[in-house]
Amino acid sequence: MAGQNRIRNAQLRSKIMTADQAAALIPKGCNVGMSGFTGAGYPKAVPIALAERMNAIHAAGEDFKISVWTGASTAPELDGVLAKVDGMELRLPYQSDPTCRKRINAGEMDYLDIHLSHVGQFVWGGYLGKLDVAIIEVVGIREDGSLISSSSVGNNKTWLDCADKVIIEVNHWQNEALEGVHDVYYGTQLPPKRKPIPILSASDRIGETGLRCDPNKIIAIVETDAPDRNSPFSPPDENSRLIAGHIIEFFGHEVKRGRLPKELLPLQSGVGNVANAVMEQLQNAPFDNLTAYTEVLQDGMFNLLRSGKMAFASATALSLSPEAAEEFNRDVAKYRDKLVLRPQEISNHPEVIRRLGVIAMNGLIEADIYGNVNSTHIRGTSIMNGIGGSGDFARNSWLSIFMTPSSAKNGAISCIVPMATHVDHTEHDVQVIVTEQGLADLRGLSPKKRARVIIENCAHPYFKPALNEYFERAQKYSHGQHTPHILDEGFTFLSEWQADMTARDAWKADSMVQADAWK
């Protein structure tokens, strides 16, 4: 690795060292802000070295933990290795690592799940304590000491501004042509000094292409050469294709009614296979000159850019499969005029989302019959990943869409339930729910009308009778109140109904066996 080519500031070249040496500079008990957003642009070497150091200290009978703040989820080389050695006391604001999740739900690690747009102001306000160290991956360092972000920006600006000390990883795998893709805005302030953010379209650039950093803060520079670790997307299954088809048909309907322009409005898409499938299906939809104002750019959106179907995309990170990441990294220069990566406090800013009229499309774990959405918890107590940016977009978008298959666990669990066991997005922020069964447009509907539309259009046929039965009895039980519920049954009715159905099926099967034997 030729450090002189990537590290163009002569003063800073003297701070190049190994990952082990850099990890030794991180004290126990400190708060560490790391780059990284949905598996993109995270430090690759120092967290591994730090985990090895923690493991050795733990083996000697001593404790060594830190609190880890990032942009969003990262990868096994960061969340995974630190969770495996029990090296994290606190994690925020979003995670998706299985070991990390296991420790959180076992009560072995604290987790603060917050809206991604809130992180920066929480840090600036001092609500999370002092930020001791920042570890940031970059493509390179300019002559003036400014930093060129890699495949994500996330909270890097905030970390660099607020941290006492900074460790930089310069990743040679990332293409230097990324320079110029980023747009880092330094105009955000705390109340009462806030000013409007001057973004009027997804393609507007309002900031700088590099990150400012006081060279005196930088205590170490580590050179790496490794790609981001993102999983490949599964090919769209039948459910995903049906969900995408319902959404695209709905867009066509809205265009005909004059409620959407023919090129639609800027798109936001959450992370995952279903969201990616919707983007893939837009490739053949009758909408051109699409734009995106989103958090992450996945394969489906990248393909829209590559084909010219999408004219421009604004995000804070790339979240590409290994094959797409390789292609993008090779051909970055082709996309510099079609793509901008911003800090997440701008990509997820409510003011900008509301002004641009974003169409938000996010996934859910369960939705109840009145349109309340749980996107974070299993059975109300165990965290899955976190709210991420879905709340930033759902509440402030022009059109708020949530999508899911109608059932989970091979049809054993209904994703449409009488009462959500945890609520991240209330009925006030949920305008459209889509499953493979159909689409429920909830705009302008009172709770009881919403319930009928959700059950009829979105519930799986196997669970539809139980949901209808619950709703009819709830209306009688509550004497037709505004939002009818039977509170003693709201969380258990479906499981009890299914147990009854299973017992009934078993009884029928046993009766048939006995009848055959009698014959």
Side-chain angles (χ1 to χ4, degrees):
M1 291 182 285
Q4 188 168 335
N5 295 333
R6 294 283 182 123
I7 306 167
R8 306 199 297 259
N9 181 291
Q11 173 192 349
L12 291 177
R13 283 202 291 271
S14 65
K15 299 184 180 183
I16 297 174
M17 62 182 69
T18 66
D20 289 337
Q21 291 171 324
L25 302 175
I26 301 171
K28 69 177 181 179
C30 67
N31 295 323
V32 182
M34 301 201 196
S35 63
F37 195 106
T38 57
Y42 57 91
K44 310 290 191 293
V46 176
I48 294 174
L50 180 60
E52 291 171 352
R53 181 178 168 221
M54 287 174 169
N55 203 35
I57 292 173
H58 291 166
E62 296 181 43
D63 188 42
F64 192 138
K65 291 186 179 183
I66 61 172
S67 294
V68 175
W69 312 349
T70 62
S73 56
T74 60
E77 298 98 322
L78 198 163
D79 274 329
V81 294
L82 292 175
K84 283 177 183 175
V85 299
D86 194 16
M88 288 188 281
E89 184 173 11
L90 169 71
R91 181 72 174 86
L92 67 89
Y94 183 89
Q95 58 75 41
S96 61
D97 182 80
T99 307
C100 196
R101 183 187 305 121
K102 184 177 179 180
R103 287 202 180 275
I104 292 166
N105 288 323
E108 299 167 354
M109 181 197 309
D110 283 340
Y111 178 51
L112 182 56
D113 180 30
I114 58 177
H115 296 298
L116 298 187
S117 67
H118 288 183
V119 180
Q121 64 185 20
F122 268 44
V123 176
W124 280 106
Y127 307 121
L128 304 176
K130 185 182 70 170
L131 182 58
D132 300 293
V133 181
I135 307 176
I136 308 296
E137 181 185 87
V138 302
V139 169
I141 303 175
R142 293 170 173 155
E143 290 83 357
D144 62 0
S146 62
L147 310 173
I148 307 164
S149 275
S150 62
S151 50
S152 72
V153 181
N155 282 316
N156 292 355
K157 170 187 167 290
T158 299
W159 300 164
L160 293 169
D161 285 348
C162 296
D164 290 340
K165 299 176 181 178
V166 175
I167 296 171
I168 300 296
E169 284 198 12
V170 180
N171 189 345
H172 290 254
W173 185 88
Q174 302 272 8
N175 195 326
E176 287 180 280
L178 274 169
E179 184 170 5
V181 166
H182 312 94
D183 185 66
V184 184
Y185 180 60
Y186 280 91
T188 53
Q189 298 186 57
L190 296 178
K193 298 182 179 180
R194 279 182 171 160
K195 299 176 181 178
I197 296 171
I199 294 178
L200 302 179
S201 69
S203 58
D204 284 350
R205 291 177 174 271
I206 60 172
E208 304 172 16
T209 56
L211 290 159
R212 303 174 190 171
C213 183
D214 180 355
N216 296 317
K217 283 186 176 185
I218 298 177
I219 59 173
I221 296 174
V222 176
E223 294 185 272
T224 65
D225 190 348
D228 292 329
R229 173 112 52 113
N230 277 316
S231 302
F233 292 99
S234 301
D237 60 13
E238 182 62 19
N239 282 346
S240 297
R241 284 192 290 268
L242 288 169
I243 290 170
H246 295 319
I247 291 174
I248 290 169
E249 182 182 1
F250 174 68
F251 286 164
H253 172 78
E254 292 295 287
V255 171
K256 288 179 181 178
R257 293 289 299 271
R259 295 194 286 223
L260 287 177
K262 61 182 180 179
E263 66 277 10
L264 304 182
L265 290 166
L267 303 172
Q268 178 263 338
S269 175
V271 177
N273 287 317
V274 175
N276 194 58
V278 175
M279 292 296 108
E280 292 283 3
Q281 294 295 311
L282 279 169
Q283 193 71 247
N284 300 313
F287 314 112
D288 296 312
N289 295 314
L290 299 170
T291 59
Y293 193 87
T294 189
E295 303 164 293
V296 294
L297 189 144
Q298 298 187 122
D299 284 25
M301 199 172 283
F302 174 58
N303 291 337
L304 291 172
L305 281 175
R306 181 173 54 184
S307 70
K309 192 81 169 176
M310 179 170 283
F312 197 90
S314 169
T316 192
L318 308 175
S319 184
L320 302 173
S321 67
E323 295 77 18
E326 189 80 41
E327 179 182 344
F328 177 84
N329 195 51
R330 184 179 63 245
D331 300 328
V332 172
K334 291 182 181 178
Y335 300 99
R336 269 213 299 255
D337 295 333
K338 298 181 178 182
L339 172 67
V340 63
L341 297 180
R342 311 180 190 273
Q344 71 188 65
E345 64 182 8
I346 302 299
S347 70
N348 288 49
H349 202 289
E351 175 197 340
V352 182
I353 295 167
R354 178 66 64 90
R355 180 184 301 123
L356 298 184
V358 170
I359 298 173
M361 295 177 283
N362 290 285
L364 60 84
I365 291 173
E366 63 181 2
D368 71 25
I369 58 176
Y370 298 109
N372 299 292
V373 164
N374 167 23
S375 61
T376 59
H377 283 70
I378 305 299
R379 294 188 177 273
T381 57
S382 296
I383 192 76
M384 188 64 181
N385 296 330
I387 194 167
S390 58
D392 298 326
F393 284 92
R395 174 156 290 189
N396 300 289
S397 62
W398 174 257
L399 190 56
S400 172
I401 301 171
F402 282 90
M403 49 201 176
T404 180
S406 63
S407 64
K409 299 293 183 182
N410 295 319
I413 298 172
S414 177
C415 294
I416 306 298
V417 297
M419 197 170 191
T421 57
H422 177 92
V423 176
D424 298 292
H425 313 281
T426 71
E427 59 187 287
H428 314 291
D429 302 328
V430 180
Q431 297 172 2
V432 177
I433 293 177
V434 193
T435 72
E436 83 285 357
Q437 301 296 324
L439 180 146
D441 183 354
L442 308 176
R443 294 172 296 178
L445 300 184
S446 63
K448 283 178 277 194
K449 289 181 179 178
R450 291 164 76 99
R452 295 192 188 283
V453 171
I454 290 171
I455 294 171
E456 180 60 31
N457 292 4
C458 298
H460 192 281
Y462 179 71
F463 295 100
K464 194 176 290 187
L467 292 167
N468 275 319
E469 181 185 347
Y470 172 85
F471 178 57
E472 296 301 331
R473 288 196 302 112
Q475 291 185 89
K476 295 177 183 177
Y477 180 86
S478 64
H479 305 292
Q481 291 178 358
H482 181 63
T483 306
H485 266 305
I486 307 172
L487 294 180
D488 291 343
E489 296 184 14
F491 297 137
T492 60
F493 179 72
L494 270 182
S495 58
E496 290 175 355
W497 174 83
Q498 190 167 26
D500 289 344
M501 290 291 287
T502 302
R504 199 176 309 164
D505 290 344
W507 178 82
K508 287 180 180 178
D510 186 55
S511 297
M512 291 175 66
V513 169
Q514 292 183 28
D516 287 341
W518 180 80
K519 288 177 184 177

